[in-house]
Amino acid sequence: MDASEVEFLAEKEMVKIIPNFSLDKVFLIGGDLGPFNPGLPIDVPVWLALNLKQRQKCRIIPPEWMDVEKLEEMRDLERKEDMFTPVPSPYYMELTKLLLNHASDNIPKADEIRTLVKDIWDTRIAKLRLSADSFISQQEAYAKLDNLTLMEINTIRAFLLDTLNCMYKLRSNLQ
Amino acid sequence: MFIADIRKDFYEVVANQRVVLLVAPDIDALCACKILQALFHCDQIQYTLVPVTGWQDLGTAFLEHKEQFRYFVLINCGANVDLLEMLQPDDDSIFFICDTHRPVDVVNVYNDTQIKLLIKQDDDLSVPSYDDIFRDEDEEGEDSGNESDEGSEPSGKRRRFDEGAVERRIERQRAKREWEARRREILFDYEQYEYHGTSAAMMFFELAWVLTKDTKDMLWWAIIGLTDQWVHDKITNMKYVTDIATMQRHVSRHNHRNEDEENSLSIDCMRISFEYDLRLTLYQHWSLYESIYNSCYTSCSFKLWTLNGQKKLQEFLADMGLPLKQVRQKFNSMDMSIKENLRDVIEESSNKYGMKDIRIQTFGVHFGFKNRFLASDMVHATAALLESAEKDDSETDNFIKALDALSRSNIDRLHSGIALAKKKLIAIQQTVASCICTNLILSQGPFLYCYLMEGTPDVKLFSKPMALTLLCKYLLKAFVHSTRNKRCKLLPLVMAAPKDVEKGTVIVVGIPPESETSDKKNFFGRAFEKAAESTSSRTLHDHFDTSIIELKTEDRSKFLDALITLLS
């Protein structure tokens, strides 16, 4: 799977916007959207929110977890624990990147949020590397992947599986 | 005709149509084009962008697209010529013209169906009234009708009626001749001087504002369009200051909207600020010394082409207490302690040296940690990209590169533009110095004249109209500062430079005389036309600015003689 495919899947998440136009209910295959009324908040998928934002037709409201204090708590919790802690959202990395790139003027303290999310990501990837390393060196049979997001799994998937395949070949050749 | 409500009569008309954008090659037009493109992207209006460099280009582009498109938007071209006669369009083609060239041709003003002018009606126009110029044709029919009626009267009364009829006819013909003479005079006065009106970029920004779709990017482009008019000396000082005040209102509105007390904006967001900054071109991207050396204002005040002038410059720097080592290194690497009060220190010292206007009102933009630009920096960089004299770049490529440099995501291109602009400014400075020192400027009576020989260094740069006009203005300013002849100080300047060596053409530019309160009205357009006609020289009046023409090198001397006789 490609990172861009994961981002594409992330765009299905819902986010709150405040439109400045009015439109009747829209019937799409994936579900219904609307009706849109100027000034009234409404939940839409991220792909639509970004498109409307770029056409200056709405204002994006940051999700609840995208707040400096909450993210600071999560980061500190992540650093304390050995295992993976629950994430703010299954697509937290992609959503942060998309929303901060296109709508940073609607998100307060955008720079700090970017730094905090990067810190959380770095800590989790470091833990992932450590656990993958111990998995291979101690030849464990299974690993628990609680609370890992698709993006993190995706970063390690290709490499880990290839490594395991190579090691299997080497071991079977030895015998 | 003039459009009253730009949203209803222009935007909503083109909202569901495909349009052709015909854009002239100057920075104001580029900025206006960017704003319009952004608006079209918001509302998903399909458009085709065609850069046009002159009247011939405009004609060809029109012929190519007239089958498929009904709506044409012309930016900074087309207002000062009878467009319908030139293009011969079908009856359903509609032209929206947003042009800063004045005077607007009277046919364009009074045509109700096909030509819509996106110009404010009170924008410094003084168009002659309809009755003074156009006369209904019915009166001709009445005359002949009356005569034939009276001719069929019985012969007894005929002689008496004949005398009355003949007298009336003579009277009418005399009135008609008088009316026509007055009409010619009015039109001559109206079309004699060429000048510029409000920036096209500002017009389109107003459209965006009316639609409440204005963003900081669009505001910045409108500011660049206005600054382009000032840098290339197209508008008077008064107008520049008034327009800056208008832009300042928009800037404060945008800044107010976004900055709350505790929720500060991301550093990547664009911040526009009003600056009362120094008139030193590109000084924040260059070293202070180079900038002072190559800016027109300081170079002419110090007379830096003389040895005396250079000594004065050293004195000036010493007076401010700036060590030479600091002043010669890149501005960003100068000591913070020097940079802090730089503007005030320079202003104080320059007052002592007779430079009262070293500071000018302008705007600056700031986004990201590294990127700070003044509006005039952007104008110089984009102009250098637009007219870059590389061999393998076509004019359309240069246009697209310059257009790209205006977006925030193409900072590399902007930096390459700044590097080109530095080279251009150095070349201008050196050419000015050599022209003054070798007395290349000759007084021909009613005007000053200068010809750049083919072997002059960097002469390829000056085969482009904007660069040559800039050189012309600097040269005139330098000449005014260096000459002692009082009469010569009030003369306009005509400059010629080789354009194409193989075809043997030169490009000729005329600019009005240099003065503090100049109204920037240029009469050379008409003068060049008449001189070319009277000597049947082979000229090409292709540029949208009528004061820039191309001429065959062999016809240069007779053209000049004709011009001298015409203007004396």
Side-chain angles (χ1 to χ4, degrees), chain B residues 189-344:
Chain B
D189 283 337
Y190 178 60
E191 294 176 352
Q192 192 184 24
Y193 289 100
E194 180 192 58
Y195 56 105
H196 286 265
T198 316
S199 146
M202 279 175 62
M203 278 306 300
F204 284 121
F205 179 73
E206 238 188 73
L207 168 65
W209 181 40
V210 164
L211 297 168
T212 58
K213 289 201 161 88
D214 54 328
T215 58
K216 281 198 175 147
D217 279 307
M218 292 188 200
L219 178 56
W220 181 235
W221 289 327
I223 291 174
I224 298 178
L226 170 63
T227 315
D228 166 60
Q229 286 195 316
W230 177 73
V231 164
H232 290 106
D233 222 14
K234 291 185 186 163
I235 54 174
T236 62
N237 257 336
M238 278 300 311
K239 181 149 180 59
Y240 176 67
V241 171
T242 334
D243 286 344
I244 285 273
T246 324
M247 289 282 105
Q248 165 68 340
R249 285 198 284 273
H250 289 291
V251 167
S252 18
R253 179 171 56 91
H254 274 267
N255 283 341
H256 226 7
R257 193 204 284 175
N258 283 323
E259 293 273 344
D260 297 344
E261 298 80 36
E262 28 166 77
N263 299 332
S264 55
L265 273 187
S266 158
I267 197 79
D268 285 328
C269 287
M270 191 183 227
R271 286 176 172 78
I272 304 179
S273 51
F274 177 76
E275 311 266 348
Y276 190 40
D277 212 334
L278 300 169
R279 215 193 254 207
L280 302 171
T281 0
L282 293 176
Y283 80 96
Q284 289 175 354
H285 303 272
W286 218 348
S287 71
L288 194 58
Y289 185 79
E290 296 261 358
S291 179
I292 297 181
Y293 200 84
N294 291 312
S295 301
C296 165
Y297 186 69
T298 41
S299 155
C300 295
S301 311
F302 284 129
K303 300 209 234 307
L304 286 176
W305 51 86
T306 60
L307 220 51
N308 218 350
Q310 298 192 1
K311 280 203 211 125
K312 256 174 122 184
L313 174 59
Q314 311 278 20
E315 269 177 40
F316 176 67
L317 293 171
D319 186 56
M320 290 193 289
L322 300 175
L324 262 184
K325 209 160 149 231
Q326 286 290 328
V327 158
R328 276 193 196 262
Q329 71 171 326
K330 267 182 70 136
F331 187 78
N332 285 332
S333 323
M334 272 172 76
D335 268 350
M336 272 315 291
S337 52
I338 300 185
K339 273 201 275 189
E340 259 162 24
N341 285 336
L342 190 64
R343 290 187 213 169
D344 296 319

Side-chain angles (χ1 to χ4, degrees), chain A:
Chain A
M1 218 184 211
D2 205 14
S4 47
E5 289 171 358
V6 181
E7 190 183 62
F8 181 72
L9 290 174
E11 285 178 353
K12 271 179 68 174
E13 291 290 301
M14 301 300 257
V15 75
K16 230 187 218 344
I17 64 163
I18 299 184
N20 62 14
F21 61 100
S22 60
L23 190 61
D24 291 332
K25 220 166 180 192
V26 179
F27 303 99
L28 303 176
I29 291 180
D32 298 342
L33 292 174
F36 296 88
N37 292 308
L40 297 180
I42 185 172
D43 279 323
V44 292
V46 167
W47 56 268
L48 183 60
L50 291 180
N51 182 290
L52 290 178
K53 174 75 186 162
Q54 284 170 333
R55 288 163 61 188
Q56 294 171 55
K57 287 193 177 332
C58 77
R59 194 160 70 88
I60 295 188
I61 297 182
E64 280 145 11
W65 53 266
M66 208 180 261
D67 170 60
V68 175
E69 283 142 9
K70 292 206 186 106
L71 287 174
E72 270 177 0
E73 272 175 35
M74 277 185 227
R75 178 194 59 178
D76 296 332
L77 187 61
E78 190 72 48
R79 284 181 178 167
K80 270 195 312 200
E81 295 283 321
D82 281 342
M83 288 280 102
F84 297 100
T85 57
V87 273
S89 148
Y91 294 103
Y92 71 97
M93 192 64 187
E94 302 89 299
L95 286 183
T96 315
K97 172 181 167 284
L98 286 169
L99 292 180
L100 288 180
N101 277 352
H102 295 277
S104 59
D105 49 340
N106 290 149
I107 298 175
K109 302 208 181 136
D111 295 332
E112 283 143 354
I113 290 180
R114 210 190 289 258
T115 325
L116 286 167
V117 169
K118 184 103 180 47
D119 284 341
I120 296 177
W121 168 269
D122 285 340
T123 321
R124 291 169 72 89
I125 291 288
K127 281 189 205 168
L128 189 58
R129 252 182 262 134
L130 268 176
S131 78
D133 188 43
S134 75
F135 177 70
I136 292 182
S137 58
Q138 285 157 24
Q139 295 181 21
E140 280 158 14
Y142 79 100
K144 223 162 73 145
L145 293 175
D146 281 359
N147 297 326
L148 269 184
T149 62
L150 185 55
M151 196 68 166
E152 289 150 1
I153 296 176
N154 194 51
T155 49
I156 203 170
R157 175 188 297 126
F159 177 69
L160 187 62
L161 295 182
D162 275 346
T163 322
L164 291 173
N165 279 339
C166 277
M167 294 191 65
Y168 176 72
K169 273 195 219 136
L170 288 172
R171 275 202 209 112
S172 51
N173 277 344
L174 265 180
Q175 289 149 10

Side-chain angles (χ1 to χ4, degrees), chain B residues 548-565:
Chain B
I548 303 178
I549 64 166
E550 274 177 50
L551 176 65
K552 282 273 188 194
T553 329
E554 297 93 35
D555 298 336
R556 206 166 30 104
S557 32
K558 60 177 176 169
F559 179 78
L560 242 93
D561 291 331
L563 202 58
I564 296 175
T565 27

